[in-house]
Amino acid sequence: SFAASSWKLQGKKYEDVRVQFPDWPALKPKTPYGSLPYLEYKGQTYGQSQAIAFFLAREFGLAGKTNADGLRIQEVCNLVEDLIVLLAKARFEKDETKKAE
């Protein structure tokens, strides 16, 4: 994950906790927005993977040198996320006509 990679790149200590499927129902109500991933940082808990990635990029100096650099980085990240969603929809579409579109 970007989060784990950014911590490693900076030589920072972190704990990468993997949730096992049987443990999720008990953990879900304790997470931000009832979802994963989330980040615990300096006593606060934050959710949403893109928000966490952008925060860590800025925190560790990986978000470009200017606001325009940061904008371009976010633009590409959001584009990749959009493409992943489209590919997943196509992969699991049952209607072959829609799938061909």
Side-chain angles (χ1 to χ4, degrees), residues 28-86:
K28 185 176 180 177
K30 300 173 188 169
T31 65
Y33 317 110
S35 65
L36 294 173
Y38 69 91
L39 172 70
E40 292 178 355
Y41 185 76
K42 296 186 178 182
Q44 297 291 318
T45 304
Y46 304 93
Q48 297 299 315
S49 58
Q50 288 288 332
I52 292 167
F54 295 140
F55 166 75
L56 292 173
R58 287 188 301 272
E59 189 73 5
F60 297 140
L62 303 172
K65 294 182 179 167
T66 68
N67 286 339
D69 291 344
L71 174 61
R72 182 65 70 198
I73 291 165
Q74 285 183 312
E75 178 183 40
V76 171
C77 289
N78 289 348
L79 177 62
V80 169
E81 183 178 39
D82 289 348
L83 290 172
I84 290 169
V85 169
L86 288 173

